[in-house]
Amino acid sequence: MEIPLASRRQKIGLLGGSFDPAHEAHVHISKHALKYFDLDQVWWLLTPSNPLKRNDPSPVDERLRVANLLVEHPKIFVTKIENELNTVYTSQTLKLIQIRCPNVRFVWLMGADNMIQFDKWMNWKEIVYRVPIGILARPDHTLAPLKSKLAKAFSSYRLRANQSRDLGNLKAPYWCYKNLPLLNVSSSQIRAS
């Protein structure tokens, strides 16, 4: 399986999604995640399909090609790890990645829009107990996520925003919600145009 090189004890942010297509906001949140959560790298995990969406995304190799054209940052890597692992659910993917990279500290990254419906993900609590989670604000989703099931169920593990750089050094189920300068662009808007 092709995965980026990671050294022992490195902190790697994992940003999963369809990336259909990848766009500047994905790069934007990845760059901020590197800084805010003190990460060594961010890996984009292009999912083969999304069980929560009606339509399947474009072929993964096409999405990979477009994403690689967009990413010009030495610490952001585009992967199709989920395709190669033949996993559909994040909980499965995380388990297998941690087995293959036992000495790496992983942080799950997601936009605040996903935090709102995170409890609909398969085995969502397993994800929370597996890796710390860094949540980044998205346009139109700045306060509602803090009322989500994730926020309520794990409120005692929430790091304050000014502690965000500690996230990768902590064990799950710690999580941190971080505001960032927002770019109002989404893959669905791009597909619609």
Side-chain angles (χ1 to χ4, degrees):
M1 175 179 71
E2 276 190 47
I3 60 172
L5 291 176
S7 303
R8 183 178 180 83
R9 310 299 279 173
Q10 274 194 313
K11 294 176 283 189
I12 309 293
L14 301 173
L15 182 64
S18 300
F19 297 91
D20 189 24
H23 51 74
E24 197 54 47
H26 293 127
V27 176
H28 178 73
I29 66 170
S30 298
K31 287 179 180 178
H32 279 84
L34 285 164
K35 179 174 68 172
Y36 289 162
F37 302 123
D38 192 30
L39 301 173
D40 296 299
Q41 299 175 16
V42 169
W43 297 356
W44 289 6
L45 307 179
L46 278 64
T47 185
S49 64
N50 185 333
L52 296 177
K53 292 186 178 178
R54 275 190 252 155
N55 300 321
D56 281 337
S58 302
V60 71
D61 286 331
E62 175 60 18
R63 290 182 282 132
L64 183 75
R65 185 188 68 76
V66 170
N68 275 317
L69 290 172
L70 180 68
V71 173
E72 295 179 350
H73 193 285
K75 294 183 177 184
I76 301 172
F77 298 91
V78 182
T79 76
K80 57 180 186 176
I81 290 172
E82 287 188 309
N83 198 61
E84 294 170 5
L85 291 173
N86 198 27
T87 56
V88 176
Y89 300 109
T90 300
S91 57
Q92 298 169 320
T93 303
L94 289 174
K95 181 179 180 180
L96 293 176
I97 288 175
Q98 287 179 314
I99 289 169
R100 291 173 191 244
C101 303
N103 298 313
V104 174
R105 296 174 185 223
F106 290 106
V107 173
W108 183 254
L109 302 173
M110 66 180 170
D113 53 331
N114 280 314
M115 186 179 179
I116 294 168
Q117 48 96 36
F118 191 62
D119 61 294
K120 293 177 176 45
W121 292 27
M122 179 68 75
N123 302 322
W124 72 276
K125 286 188 178 178
E126 182 183 327
I127 297 166
V128 176
Y129 283 112
R130 187 165 287 284
V131 292
I133 299 175
I135 299 134
L136 299 151
R138 291 281 311 263
D140 302 324
H141 296 92
T142 52
L143 296 177
L146 299 177
K147 296 177 183 173
S148 68
K149 285 189 180 181
L150 166 63
K152 289 177 182 176
F154 295 92
S155 62
S156 60
Y157 291 96
R158 180 181 177 193
L159 287 182
R160 292 188 310 270
N162 65 356
Q163 298 173 302
S164 65
R165 292 180 61 81
D166 296 331
L167 185 64
N169 295 319
L170 299 172
K171 293 183 186 265
Y174 278 97
W175 63 279
C176 184
Y177 181 88
K178 189 78 174 163
N179 284 311
L180 70 155
L182 300 177
L183 286 181
N184 197 6
V185 62
S186 73
S187 295
S188 53
Q189 288 172 333
I190 293 170
R191 284 192 308 274
S193 64

